[in-house]
Structure formats: structure tokens, C-alpha cells
């Protein structure tokens, strides 16, 4: 058991190294993307700070810190996900075009193989951005900063699982148009960037179930303010459930995998 | 026994679009009731026309796709249920699909593959230098895979597929698109693997000279059904009782019309005759033809393998 874990971890590190090295080949284009991401994320912070200024630094009992947290933890999750596990975005393409073949030939879990097969270098920008905002929000309190970083990293579990589930579903729907992209951008990312208190009960229910925004931002922020670590058990438990569901759905999708004959190269 | 396949079948569901909304589902029987056994150390050619079901069969044997019905045992393992375990024992290379990493150098690609097979670092490097020497690709190791020529890449692909010293290698069109020099090199490599490690080799190719140069046994598949499974010798015995005699006379000879032997071709000072060696004696034929003039050169050739395979394909289509 232990050696299996060690072997998988070893492979995981190697694969990461490779996908990052591949991404580095396009340094310039990725740097440009990273810069735009900074501007884009920064724009929202400016927007919020204007709103707060108009309202004398308060909005529905919320401190500006709260907004900083909303823009720090989920952004770290996002960064970790697409920097380290960017291959997850290729899952449906791999399955539909028959590119899973080479992964299926290897004595490793195909999921691990897929998610580590690509690195979005620009996500590194998100990661740094999230960290910087996190440091500001923590007011240099190490415990609080650790809460931000750890929940940020763990949030990637929800991102990756959600991606896997959606991509597998789009295989069934024979959807090459990527509903998954739309879902991720419009729902998950957006919801996790707004304060929990603005949402109605019904929507909140959704944000703690179908769209796991609650575990990527609301609950970690609760821990941040209350230092009540019992919430972390909920996050971990639900995270494991999400991941299990993702693996289940993925295996189902692979049952229908029929390969294909398109000529392909590993990029 | 290395490979034991029994009544293997694979259906694909294909949907045809009829107009905007109407769809019709059809079942395509890509592989039907295929059975064969292969012993350790055999080199088997799996041949057939385009769309015959060769790649589909290999994908089932290697655990990439699941059979619709039938049993497969490779090295004692079932590819569908023991996929990971089996992966350590087999190597597989698809001429049409790359296994290497386009953005990496060859050596980094190979190293990553090594870690996928859980080989320790020193062992990986040792094995890479061993293979590099065997394949004569030392000078390619630092090149980026993307920048290799097709022939260079194919050799490196094979290197990647045998890094973990598998007992069996599946090669699906390993020489596709290669020039004759590269083809010969790939053949040498395949033969070496078989001779040095007694590796079992299962390969498909549309190039009959590959088959002739490498294999002791040929399995022919057409429309998903095995139509012939025999040793090359046996094929030759059944199909090769015909020999072509090409005779060159020192001077132009007149029209030779003979009821005894069939003349395939006659031109200037050359005639080509086909002789059924099970009925006629070559020596008699030569004596007979020498009576028409002074013979300056003779060539006796077997019907080329190419012709035999064409015959098998054709025979089966008529049936
Ligand atoms: N994933 C798939 N979905 C549907 N049909 C498929 C699929 N893969 C193969 N087929 C069909 O199955 C049949 C056998 O295909 P296969 O690729 O095994 O042929 P092949 O013998 O390898 O041919 P070639 O020499 O051209 O490579 C073909 O009719 C092909 O169209
Ligand atoms: Mg094929």
C-alpha cells in the first residue's frame, strides 16, 4: 500500500515537472496571460473598494477584509487547480478523440495521468495574486494566513472534482462545445467571489451542494473569522465525497470509452 | 502460452444522421469471433485490408477498450480486469499515435515513461543508455521529440514502448510512412528484441516486406473475421507451388507458342513462364526452353508474398 502511494506520488511529481516544463515553452504568451489576469482580478477589487467607500467602509455589516478573502481563497484554489491539474480541462477532448489510449496503456490511474498532463502557466498568476491578497487580508497573522493558504489549496479538490464530473457528463452528451467551461466560469468562480450574505436561502442551498462555492469560500471565511476549526471537518468530508463522486463518474465514462482512430500527438 | 484469445468480438454503435433530427443507430461488427493462441517468442504478423479490425483487436488485447464478448488472456492476465498489472508486462506502439511527449527531449520523455513504470532512477538511466546503444539513437536523446523526423520518432517510440522490458510487444503499423532505410532499421530492431530477450511480437503492417522479413506466422483478418492463420512456410507451400522462370536468350527468338507451359510474358529476347511445380519439373522446362535458342541468363523466382496476400484477400471477397 505504502509503496503504491510512494510510486504514484513519485510519478505525480515527475508528471507535474513535465507539464510545467512544457508550459514554459510558451513563456511569453503565458506571461501576457498572467498579466491580464492580474489586471482583470485587480479590476474587481477596485470595484469593491469603490462600493465600500461610497458606503463608509461597510456593506451589510461586511468589512472590506471579507471581500479580500473572497478574492483570495477561491483564487488560490483556481490557481492551484489550473497550474497543477490543468489537464482536467482536456478530459472530454481526450475521451472523445481517443487520446486516452496512451494513458490506458500505462500502469497508472488514468485520472492522475490526465489531470497532470497540462499546466496553465497563467494560473501561476492567479496563485500569486491570491497569496498577495491573502497576506493583506490576514494582517500578517500567521494562523490566519495558514487558514487562507490551506483552504485555498484544499479548494482545488472541489474544482478538480467538479471539472471531472462536468467533463464526463459532456462526453455522454457528446458535447464538444464545453458546457463545462461555461459552468466553471459563470457559476463556480462567480459565486465564490460574492459574499454569502447576499444570497437567498434557496441559492445558498445550491451553493453548498451542486455548486460547491460554499466550501471554496464561505466556510473557509467562517473559519478565518471564528477560528472554529470544526468547519474544516465539514469541508474535508464533503471534499472527499466530491472526489469520490468524480472518480465514480469518471470510471462510468471510461466504461463507454471506445478509443478512436484519429492521428494524435501528445502535446 | 503468451496470448490466448477465444471468440473475441467487438461491436461499435455508430449513429448515422438522417436529416436534421433523425438519427439511426447501427451496429458495426468490427471484430467477430476471433480466436488464436500465440506462444512465447513468436513473431506474428496480423494483417488485413484497411478497416479489417486489426487496431481494434490490439486495443482489446492491451486493455484500452473492452470486448463486447469473448475471452482474452495475456501472460495469464485479463486485460479488462487486470489492466494495470498487465501494463507492466506489455509494450505497445501505435504508428499513428505518439506516446512520447512532444515538448520534451527524447531522454526526458523516456525518463518520465520510466517513472510511470516505477523504475528506480539509476535503472532508468541504465536502461536508456542500453537501448540508445542498441537502437543507435544516442545522438537523438537531447533532441526535442517534436523536432524529430518521422523515422527518428518511430524508433524513439519503440524505445519508449520497451523501456520497461516487456515480455510482449504490440506494434500497430510501426513502419507506416517510413522510407526503406528507416524500415530496415526498424525491422533490425524488432528482430534483435526477439532474438536477445525472446520477446513475443505481435505486429500489423501493410508492408508485405515487413511481414516477410520478420514473421514466422501470419494471421489474416478481413471484415473482422480471421480468414487465415498459418506459418509462412505453410502459406508458401499452399500458394507457392507456382514459380516464374525468366529466360533471356542471347538473340531474339521467334514467337514461342507452347501448349505445355503457360507463357506470362514474351518480349524481344526474354520470355517469362509460370510453372506449377507440383505438376511439372523445372529441369524439364529448362531443357524444353533451351531448344529455342542460346540461353544467356535464367532467373527462377517464387511468387512474391505480395501476390499471395493479394490472393488471400481476393479469394475471401468472392466467397
Ligand atoms: N471507436 C470506434 N467507433 C466506431 N467504429 C470504429 C471505432 N474504431 C474502429 N471502428 C471501425 O471498426 C472497423 C475496424 O477498424 P480498425 O481500426 O480495427 O481497422 P484496422 O484493421 O486497424 O484498419 P487500418 O489498416 O486502416 O488501420 C472499421 O470499420 C472502423 O471504422
Ligand atoms: Mg489500424
Amino acid at each position: 500500500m505504502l509503496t503504491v502511494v510512494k510510486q504514484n506520488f513519485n510519478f505525480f511529481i515527475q508528471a507535474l515537472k513535465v507539464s510545467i516544463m512544457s508550459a514554459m515553452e510558451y513563456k511569453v504568451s503565458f506571461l501576457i496571460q498572467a498579466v491580464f489576469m492580474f489586471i482583470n482580478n485587480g479590476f474587481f477589487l477596485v470595484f469593491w473598494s469603490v462600493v465600500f467607500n461610497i458606503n463608509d467602509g461597510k456593506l451589510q455589516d461586511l468589512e472590506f477584509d471579507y471581500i479580500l478573502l473572497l478574492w483570495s481563497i477561491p483564487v488560490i484554489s483556481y490557481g492551484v487547480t489550473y497550474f497543477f491539474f490543468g489537464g482536467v480541462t482536456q478530459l472530454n477532448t481526450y475521451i472523445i478523440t481517443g487520446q486516452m489510449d496512451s494513458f490506458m496503456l500505462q500502469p497508472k490511474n488514468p485520472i492522475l495521468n490526465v489531470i497532470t498532463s497540462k499546466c496553465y502557466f497563467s494560473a501561476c498568476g492567479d496563485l500569486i495574486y491570491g497569496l498577495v491578497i491573502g497576506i493583506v487580508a490576514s494582517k500578517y497573522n500567521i494562523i490566519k494566513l495558514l487558514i487562507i493558504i490551506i483552504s485555498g489549496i484544499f479548494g482545488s479538490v472541489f474544482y478538480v472534482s467538479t471539472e471531472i464530473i462536468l467533463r464526463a457528463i459532456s462526453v455522454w452528451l457528446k458535447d464538444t462545445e464545453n458546457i463545462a467551461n461555461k459552468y466553471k466560469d459563470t457559476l463556480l468562480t462567480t459565486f465564490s467571489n460574492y459574499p454569502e450574505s447576499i444570497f437567498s436561502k434557496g441559492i445558498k442551498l445550491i451553493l453548498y451542494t451542486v455548486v460547491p462555492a460554499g466550501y471554496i469560500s464561505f466556510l473557509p471565511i467562517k473559519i478565518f473569522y471564528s477560528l472554529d476549526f470544526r468547519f474544516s471537518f465539514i469541508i474535508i468530508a464533503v471534499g472527499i465525497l466530491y472526489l469520490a463522486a468524480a472518480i465514480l463518474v469518471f470510471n462510468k465514462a471510461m466504461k463507454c470509452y471506445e478509443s478512436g482512430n484519429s492521428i494524435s500527438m501528445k502535446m | 502460452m503468451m496470448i490466448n484469445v477465444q471468440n473475441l468480438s467487438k461491436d461499435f454503435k455508430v449513429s448515422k444522421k438522417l436529416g436534421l433530427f433523425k438519427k439511426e443507430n447501427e451496429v458495426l461488427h468490427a471484430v467477430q469471433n476471433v480466436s488464436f493462441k500465440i506462444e512465447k517468442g513468436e513473431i506474428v504478423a496480423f494483417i488485413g485490408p484497411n478497416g479489417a479490425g486489426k487496431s481494434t483487436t490490439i486495443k482489446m488485447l492491451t486493455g484500452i477498450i473492452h470486448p463486447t464478448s469473448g475471452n482474452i488472456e495475456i501472460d495469464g492476465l485479463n486485460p479488462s480486469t487486470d489492466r494495470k498489472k498487465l501494463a507492466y508486462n506489455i509494450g505497445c506502439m501505435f504508428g499513428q499515435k505518439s506516446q512520447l511527449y512532444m515538448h520534451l527531449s527524447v531522454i526526458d520523455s523516456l525518463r518520465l515513461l520510466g517513472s510511470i513504470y516505477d523504475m528506480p532512477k539509476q535503472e532508468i538511466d541504465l536502461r536508456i543508455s542500453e537501448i540508445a546503444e542498441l537502437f543507435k539513437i544516442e545522438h537523438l536523446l537531447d533532441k526535442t521529440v517534436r523536432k524529430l523526423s518521422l523515422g527518428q520518432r518511430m524508433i524513439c517510440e519503440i524505445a519508449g514502448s520497451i523501456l520497461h522490458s516487456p515480455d510482449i510487444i504490440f506494434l500497430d503499423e510501426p513502419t507506416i510512412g517510413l522510407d526503406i532505410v528507416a524500415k530496415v532499421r526498424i525491422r533490425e530492431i524488432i528482430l534483435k528484441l526477439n532474438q536477445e530477450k525472446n520477446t513475443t511480437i505481435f505486429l500489423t503492417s501493410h508492408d508485405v516486406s515487413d511481414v516477410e522479413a520478420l514473421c514466422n506466422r501470419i494471421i489474416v483478418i478481413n471484415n473482422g473475421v480471421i480468414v487465415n492463420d498459418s506459418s509462412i512456410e505453410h502459406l508458401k507451400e499452399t500458394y507457392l507451388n507456382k514459380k516464374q522462370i525468366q529466360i533471356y536468350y542471347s538473340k531474339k527468338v521467334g514467337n514461342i507458342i507452347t501448349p505445355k507451359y503457360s507463357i506470362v510474358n514474351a518480349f524481344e529476347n526474354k520470355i517469362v513462364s509460370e510453372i506449377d511445380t507440383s505438376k511439372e519439373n523445372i529441369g524439364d522446362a529448362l531443357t524444353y526452353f533451351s531448344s529455342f535458342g542460346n540461353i544467356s541468363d535464367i532467373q527462377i523466382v517464387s511468387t512474391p508474398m505480395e501476390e499471395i496476400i493479394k490472393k488471400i484477400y481476393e479469394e475471401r471477397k468472392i466467397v
Side-chain angles (χ1 to χ4, degrees), chain B residues 131-284:
Chain B
I131 292 174
E133 203 188 312
L134 184 72
F135 288 18
K136 302 199 187 76
I137 51 169
E138 290 105 332
H139 61 293
L140 298 178
L141 289 180
D142 290 320
K143 276 202 177 179
T144 310
V145 173
R146 187 161 37 86
K147 293 176 184 157
L148 297 175
S149 78
L150 184 65
Q152 294 171 331
R153 210 196 77 218
M154 291 292 209
I155 292 178
C156 295
E157 295 279 352
I158 298 184
S161 69
I162 60 144
L163 192 69
H164 56 291
S165 317
D167 300 329
I168 310 172
I169 339 177
F170 296 91
L171 301 161
D172 193 358
E173 303 188 37
T175 59
I176 189 167
L178 301 188
D179 66 31
I180 192 72
V181 179
K183 270 185 189 179
V184 169
R185 283 214 43 209
I186 299 239
R187 283 177 207 155
E188 280 169 9
I189 285 169
I190 294 172
L191 273 181
K192 251 187 207 165
L193 288 173
N194 175 259
Q195 284 159 0
E196 287 179 11
K197 301 265 158 85
N198 201 23
T199 310
T200 310
I201 290 163
F202 189 83
L203 75 97
T204 79
S205 175
H206 288 294
D207 184 342
V208 178
S209 47
D210 283 346
V211 176
E212 247 183 321
L214 292 172
C215 305
N216 17 51
R217 178 173 159 199
I218 301 181
I219 300 177
V220 184
I221 184 170
N222 190 17
N223 287 324
V225 182
I226 290 188
V227 294
N228 200 308
D229 178 353
S230 47
S231 68
I232 290 221
E233 284 76 41
H234 184 257
L235 265 192
K236 286 187 175 167
E237 273 166 29
T238 15
Y239 288 90
L240 277 195
N241 38 26
K242 290 217 169 83
K243 295 256 181 206
Q244 278 187 356
I245 305 184
Q246 303 173 352
I247 297 164
Y248 297 84
Y249 293 100
S250 52
K251 280 198 296 264
K252 191 180 166 191
V253 289
N255 260 357
I256 300 172
I257 302 167
T258 155
K260 211 167 167 195
Y261 300 105
S262 73
I263 306 291
V264 181
N265 200 344
F267 181 74
E268 297 268 308
N269 59 339
K270 174 190 176 190
I271 64 164
V272 180
S273 169
E274 197 167 67
I275 292 181
D276 187 339
T277 51
S278 63
K279 294 186 190 126
E280 291 134 1
N281 185 307
I282 293 182
D284 292 349

Side-chain angles (χ1 to χ4, degrees), chain A residues 7 11 14-15 18 21-22 25-26 98 101-110 113 255 257-267, chain B residues 10 12 59 62-66 83-84 87-88 92 94 96-104 108 112-113 115-118 121 146 153:
Chain A
Q7 285 167 348
F11 156 65
Q14 290 296 323
V18 166
M21 268 156 67
S22 305
E25 270 220 324
Y26 302 103
D101 284 13
S102 51
F103 297 143
M104 296 295 285
L105 286 172
Q106 296 170 353
K108 285 283 172 285
N109 189 319
N113 243 320
K255 279 261 153 62
Y257 181 65
E258 297 288 21
S259 177
N261 278 330
S262 59
I263 295 169
S264 67
M265 310 226 155
K266 250 190 209 169
M267 291 312 253
Chain B
K10 178 74 191 179
F12 287 116
K59 284 174 189 166
T62 52
I64 294 174
I65 57 177
H66 301 288
R83 186 187 66 80
K84 278 191 208 167
Y88 291 102
C92 189
F94 290 95
Q96 316 239 24
K97 288 191 179 185
S98 179
Q99 290 242 64
L100 300 172
Y101 299 80
M102 288 299 127
H103 296 301
L104 300 186
D108 284 334
L112 179 61
L113 282 173
S115 73
I116 286 174
Y117 289 94
D118 306 322
K121 263 209 180 70
R146 187 161 37 86
R153 210 196 77 218

